[in-house]
Amino acid sequence: MVRILVRIESRHADNSPCTHSVKPSGKPRDPNSGCPGRTAFAVVCSEHGDVGNLHHVKAAAEPAARDHRDEHRTALAVR
Ligand SMILES: [Zn+2]
Ligand SMILES: [Zn+2]
């Protein structure tokens, strides 16, 4: 059985992943890191890739990630 992972990923304005350390405001902690700033959160599934739309706050991305995990749980249960 394939283990499915649903995680929340930070994104820049151009939709590239932000792996930098950023302040809660989304601004980079290190001005020399080259980070343009985090603007959104994406829900990423190991099976489906990006799930739904981008979220502007993490508090909105978390329930979306939970819902998607639940969908997988339901799908596995009927299989
Ligand atoms: Zn960044
Ligand atoms: Zn999925």
Side-chain angles (χ1 to χ4, degrees):
M1 196 180 94
V2 182
R3 179 111 170 84
I4 294 156
L5 291 171
V6 181
R7 62 197 174 82
I8 295 168
E9 189 175 89
S10 301
R11 292 285 170 87
H12 300 133
D14 67 357
N15 209 26
S16 58
C18 179
T19 53
H20 308 98
S21 178
V22 292
K23 296 174 189 170
S25 64
K27 296 267 182 286
R29 282 188 197 278
D30 179 2
N32 299 317
S33 65
C35 179
R38 185 199 59 217
T39 56
F41 295 94
V43 178
V44 183
C45 172
S46 60
E47 188 171 298
H48 296 110
D50 285 18
V51 176
N53 298 317
L54 293 173
H55 302 276
H56 291 287
V57 290
K58 199 166 189 178
E62 278 163 353
R66 200 183 313 131
D67 283 355
H68 192 71
R69 277 187 208 111
D70 284 348
E71 280 174 35
H72 276 292
R73 211 164 289 142
T74 308
L76 290 171
V78 295
R79 213 174 274 166

